[in-house]
Amino acid sequence: MAQEASSSTSSKTISLKTGDGEIFEIEASAAKQMKTVQRLIDDLGDDITIPLHNVFSKELPKIIEYYKKDITGEITKDFEAEFVKDLNDDEVKVLFLAANYLDANKLFEFLSQNIADRLESKSVEYVRKYFGVENDFTPEEESKLREERAWSFRGIKEDE
Amino acid sequence: MRLVMDTVEEEFVEIPIPIPSSTSSSSMAKRPCPSQNPRMELENLLYQFLSLSDRPSLSLDLSFENLLQSMPPDTDLIDRALKMGSLLLDAAKHSSRKRASNHNSIVWPLPPDLTFKIFSMLDTQSLCYVSAACSFFSKCAKDPLCYENLDLTTLVPKVNNAVVATMIQRAGKALRSLKLGVVPATACSPGFCQPMVSTIRKAIVEAPNFSWNDKRSRQGRESSVLTRCCLSPLSGDGGAPGALLRKLHLYNIERMDSTSLCGALSACPSLLDLEIVGIHVELRQTLMSVSANCHLIERLFFESSRTGRDDSLKAQTCSELVNNCPNLTSLSLRGFKLHDCKVRILVKGFRKLKYVDFSSSYSITGNFLRNLGNCNGGNLLEVLILRDCMHLKEMEVIRFLTAILAGDFKLLMHLDISNREGLACEADWYHRCYSSNSNMPIKQVLEARPDMRLVAEYPSEGSYAETFDAEMNSDISLQFSSPTSDGSIFMSTSESSYNSDHGSGNEEGQDAVIYGESSDEDNNMNL
């Protein structure tokens, strides 16, 4: 359902439609930060609702919240800490993948760091579960890798 | 049927299949031409065989047994079954891995260059775990950028040369910082905490699950110890890894010696930050090597492994260092025998020097502080730490504080002149100055310079010890309290246990405070 953009060009908003059919509004300056969106605007024009097939209504509001803060130049360490505080590991991952899809660089970098922080001191099985990947090593490769990390002296139990 | 067997044999020499007449009637019915589709023939067979797994009532072991009983006893069916079983299992595992890889590529849609972005933010240990998750991650984790900052420090000796070599090699010319060695858990950022050397031994013994008879070293695998050549990979590959190395921190590497350390330094012309703790190297030789190779250096932190015994520093070494390394802003020499005249060369000579720490030094009396305030080198000082310097005289400290009151050292923000044993009184080392009989103008300085943090903790004789902290700044919390339990510098217990494999004299008792060589104050001191 296409919506009319507001008439004054200075506060132009863009309509975004998520993969599950919901529509959100963002300011044109925020949209600029998401290169994918900007490209679509360039192609389709800014009066049309931009479809984002791979982003869903669960995560898009959070992304919009981030960039709303960004265009006012108010992103601080405290804001960033607060932003991720209540997100569980999966939510961060989903946001991260969405930021990648949207080519939203700043958010992408920030979430990269956050994921890295969450992965610190975690076991191999945890990492696999987190990313949803499966073990595809040969036994020889596995034991070589185990040998290579034998030096890392951890408090956590190696669960393999 | 014979025809089928022949063609199968020709194409797949490894797998002669005796086909019993009771089974695979459909394959018989197929009867392909000899030159056509022998592979398809095999695939059909396999498919049929594998579909057998759907049949719940089937028991392969019984069928096999029956088959064996019906054949002449010397038929090698069992061996064939083993062989075929093994082939099948290998093939199935291989395909299973491929399937997992495909699954992974769907589940994790990012290309390598974005994936290793996350990995490059991980510390070295976590990186090892992440790279063991799946083959794609392993590949991503091999990108040099992930190895830019190597932290191979451990609580107990566990890293060996091979690990260091592998990591350095992976970093290649992306290597920027390398931390290596054994660091106790309680060590905090240097400059504000106690010497790390004496605490190491105790930490090692206490660390859980650690035994010097670690099974790994006994098994003949490369032992979990760093040898003297552990840093030689820095020079490898045309010196690429060392060329752009900015930071090198080495802790308690038992087997490293002066030659190998100097060799490593010669490979690191871009070094900005060098930290050496508990390594059995000579001060003079090391400083000469820094002088010769690391002209860009900005921070030098050097803590002796033989507290109070290294008296190697010469005036010429100091001059050379000052001339060749003009960018030095932070200098810490802890636990060495330093003479005022030499130290003066250093403190006056480095034009950008802001941070000085000569804690636990022997021989310096504080004389070097005289008339320092009005020349280039001294006036820029922001931090001066002279903690637990055995021979630091109260008189010199008073003189220094007076200079501060007179307006010198305007940039000095932090001054630490605490001493576990109290400062030395003028005439006699035996007599220490305690806070109760102190003449020092501490309060005046605090009033005159409210911006400055002045730490002057001394034991008091029979009265409460007063601490004269300017502000209770919890951010920079000093770990000192009353003489700590984990081995003070002046008691020799940590000393004597430390040098067991050096054989440098395992004196019990007062080895920390006996001076056999000439120094300006040549006194024996019994504690």
Side-chain angles (χ1 to χ4, degrees):
Chain A
M1 191 162 63
Q3 289 184 357
E4 297 295 334
S6 43
S7 46
S8 82
T9 47
S10 59
S11 60
K12 200 159 177 72
T13 60
I14 310 283
S15 298
L16 302 175
K17 183 165 167 187
T18 65
D20 49 348
E22 280 197 44
I23 305 212
F24 296 90
E25 303 264 332
I26 56 164
E27 307 205 12
S29 47
K32 264 202 168 51
Q33 304 295 327
M34 307 182 205
K35 297 212 192 81
T36 307
V37 174
Q38 191 56 50
R39 276 195 289 268
L40 286 168
I41 293 175
D42 293 340
D43 288 344
L44 303 173
D46 51 13
D47 289 340
I48 299 199
T49 304
I50 308 288
L52 299 174
H53 302 297
N54 275 353
V55 185
F56 297 89
S57 53
K58 196 154 186 291
E59 55 263 21
L60 189 56
K62 207 73 175 139
I63 298 177
I64 293 176
E65 179 195 327
Y66 186 86
Y67 277 104
K68 245 200 197 131
K69 210 70 165 136
D70 184 43
I71 53 180
T72 63
E74 277 173 25
I75 293 200
T76 61
K77 283 266 179 292
D78 286 338
F79 169 75
E80 288 188 329
E82 196 59 38
F83 188 78
V84 290
K85 191 173 73 159
D86 292 323
L87 296 175
N88 68 30
D89 291 343
D90 264 325
E91 287 164 345
V92 170
K93 190 180 82 172
V94 163
L95 269 176
F96 174 75
L97 293 172
N100 173 54
Y101 172 77
L102 292 171
D103 208 347
N105 203 36
K106 198 154 178 202
L107 183 61
F108 182 78
E109 301 258 344
F110 166 52
L111 292 174
S112 299
Q113 182 64 62
N114 193 252
I115 292 184
D117 294 340
R118 285 166 194 253
L119 287 178
E120 235 155 86
S121 295
K122 290 295 197 303
S123 69
V124 179
E125 257 319 301
Y126 184 94
V127 173
R128 283 187 187 140
K129 279 207 192 80
Y130 182 74
F131 289 104
V133 296
E134 290 171 4
N135 179 6
D136 59 346
F137 290 118
T138 65
E140 295 79 28
E141 287 166 345
E142 267 201 271
S143 68
K144 184 157 181 279
L145 283 164
R146 194 173 281 118
E147 218 178 283
E148 274 179 14
R149 67 175 184 275
W151 65 273
S152 56
F153 190 71
R154 303 271 217 143
I156 52 149
K157 209 165 178 303
E158 171 77 67
D159 54 6
E160 285 207 60
Chain B
M1 189 169 110
R2 189 73 202 146
L3 198 59
V4 172
M5 250 197 76
D6 277 340
T7 52
V8 170
E9 258 185 310
E10 270 162 34
E11 291 297 321
F12 304 97
V13 176
E14 306 251 352
I15 318 172
I17 307 174
I19 302 175
S21 48
S22 54
T23 60
S24 28
S25 51
S26 50
S27 72
M28 277 186 67
K30 287 223 168 75
R31 287 295 305 258
C33 308
S35 54
Q36 255 184 358
N37 295 335
R39 188 183 285 271
M40 227 173 87
E41 193 57 33
L42 178 61
E43 281 174 15
N44 284 332
L45 273 170
L46 274 174
Y47 185 78
Q48 306 255 332
F49 176 70
L50 290 172
S51 350
L52 290 173
S53 67
D54 285 341
R55 290 213 241 146
S57 55
L58 188 74
S59 52
L60 271 172
D61 51 347
L62 275 176
S63 306
F64 192 56
E65 290 233 16
N66 287 339
L67 180 62
L68 276 176
Q69 278 164 16
S70 67
M71 305 287 273
D74 57 344
T75 320
D76 51 355
L77 273 182
I78 297 177
D79 296 321
R80 288 167 188 262
L82 284 169
K83 184 172 184 173
M84 295 298 282
S86 167
L87 281 170
L88 190 60
L89 189 59
D90 284 346
K93 282 189 175 171
H94 177 75
S95 303
S96 164
R97 285 193 291 271
K98 259 191 164 173
R99 181 178 59 180
S101 300
N102 284 337
H103 162 88
N104 293 349
S105 64
I106 295 170
V107 143
W108 186 250
L110 263 60
D113 58 337
L114 294 176
T115 309
F116 73 65
K117 207 169 175 25
I118 300 183
F119 294 176
S120 66
M121 299 177 188
L122 289 170
D123 62 284
T124 314
Q125 288 195 7
S126 302
L127 185 64
C128 292
Y129 282 76
V130 162
S131 73
C134 66
S135 58
F136 180 67
F137 282 8
S138 184
K139 197 171 80 155
C140 292
K142 290 214 168 71
D143 186 275
L145 282 179
C146 298
Y147 298 88
E148 197 178 28
N149 299 305
L150 288 180
D151 184 351
L152 301 174
T153 56
T154 53
L155 291 175
V156 296
K158 271 206 160 213
V159 177
N160 61 22
N161 289 9
V163 173
V164 180
T166 308
M167 299 284 178
I168 292 182
Q169 213 170 38
R170 286 194 190 155
K173 56 183 198 283
L175 187 63
R176 290 293 175 274
S177 113
L178 173 60
K179 295 188 193 177
L180 184 61
V182 176
V183 183
T186 50
C188 55
S189 72
F192 289 104
C193 74
Q194 3 198 354
M196 296 190 245
V197 170
S198 48
T199 58
I200 301 287
R201 277 278 148 155
K202 192 155 191 285
I204 290 178
V205 170
E206 284 180 349
N209 305 322
F210 180 72
S211 152
W212 285 110
N213 296 323
D214 191 71
K215 283 207 189 99
R216 261 182 230 119
S217 10
R218 272 202 263 127
Q219 273 166 11
R221 253 207 254 164
E222 191 151 327
S223 70
S224 311
V225 161
L226 293 166
T227 70
R228 55 185 298 277
C229 347
C230 59
L231 290 179
S232 52
L234 285 175
S235 323
D237 193 19
L244 295 171
L245 187 68
R246 301 260 140 83
K247 189 191 282 201
L248 181 61
H249 290 192
L250 303 171
Y251 305 96
N252 302 295
I253 302 175
E254 276 287 316
R255 297 197 192 174
M256 183 165 282
D257 59 10
S258 289
T259 320
S260 45
L261 177 60
C262 296
L265 289 175
S266 67
C268 305
S270 312
L271 207 59
L272 297 177
D273 179 340
L274 177 62
E275 186 165 319
I276 301 175
V277 174
I279 313 263
H280 307 308
V281 291
E282 207 198 36
L283 178 62
R284 179 174 146 261
Q285 268 193 293
T286 311
L287 291 183
M288 275 171 60
S289 186
V290 171
S291 247
N293 298 299
C294 310
H295 301 144
L296 301 174
I297 196 143
E298 293 172 8
R299 177 178 175 266
L300 182 55
F301 183 101
F302 204 151
E303 191 173 299
S304 176
S305 64
R306 321 180 300 141
T307 312
R309 288 205 277 245
D310 187 330
D311 185 25
S312 58
L313 189 63
K314 289 197 179 358
Q316 192 191 359
T317 317
C318 297
S319 307
E320 276 172 11
L321 191 65
V322 162
N323 287 332
N324 293 336
C325 304
N327 292 337
L328 199 71
T329 58
S330 166
L331 178 64
S332 303
L333 299 175
R334 293 163 43 147
F336 296 99
K337 233 176 167 186
L338 299 174
H339 299 148
D340 289 275
C341 48
K342 297 164 190 169
V343 160
R344 201 176 164 77
I345 298 175
L346 293 173
V347 177
K348 270 184 81 171
F350 287 117
R351 298 183 160 251
K352 299 186 189 173
L353 196 60
K354 291 191 196 156
Y355 181 107
V356 170
D357 181 356
F358 295 139
S359 297
S360 308
S361 298
Y362 286 72
S363 299
I364 52 170
T365 62
N367 187 299
F368 75 96
L369 293 167
R370 291 195 197 183
N371 300 319
L372 207 55
N374 48 10
C375 65
N376 270 333
N379 233 352
L380 292 177
L381 275 185
E382 291 175 15
V383 175
L384 177 60
I385 302 178
L386 296 169
R387 228 176 146 104
D388 295 329
C389 293
M390 276 300 294
H391 300 108
L392 189 62
K393 288 187 186 169
E394 192 200 36
M395 180 263 283
E396 298 289 354
V397 174
I398 292 176
R399 200 186 278 255
F400 180 65
L401 292 174
T402 312
I404 293 178
L405 284 172
D408 283 345
F409 302 103
K410 285 192 173 40
L411 297 176
L412 194 62
M413 285 293 111
H414 181 104
L415 173 64
D416 188 339
I417 39 174
S418 308
N419 202 304
R420 262 195 276 254
E421 309 296 328
L423 291 175
C425 287
E426 177 60 47
D428 188 346
W429 299 118
Y430 282 94
H431 284 106
R432 311 301 289 184
C433 306
Y434 299 108
S435 55
S436 50
N437 58 3
S438 165
N439 301 322
M440 294 199 286
I442 304 249
K443 286 207 175 74
Q444 292 93 305
V445 172
L446 290 175
E447 275 163 33
R449 294 285 300 274
D451 53 324
M452 192 167 103
R453 183 176 158 83
L454 171 56
V455 183
E457 293 164 7
Y458 307 105
S460 68
E461 246 184 346
S463 66
Y464 294 108
E466 286 182 67
T467 56
F468 299 99
D469 282 301
E471 27 167 343
M472 298 304 274
N473 188 345
S474 54
D475 290 337
I476 318 172
S477 63
L478 289 174
Q479 306 290 327
F480 287 95
S481 48
S482 50
T484 60
S485 51
D486 38 19
S488 86
I489 291 295
F490 305 101
M491 312 302 170
S492 63
T493 45
S494 49
E495 292 273 341
S496 43
S497 63
Y498 210 82
N499 292 300
S500 41
D501 46 349
H502 258 280
S504 64
N506 220 349
E507 310 120 54
E508 305 296 326
Q510 300 92 17
D511 55 342
V513 290
I514 293 179
Y515 308 95
E517 318 179 12
S518 65
S519 55
D520 11 356
E521 276 82 38
D522 195 3
N523 288 305
N524 267 354
M525 172 111 169
N526 271 342
L527 288 177

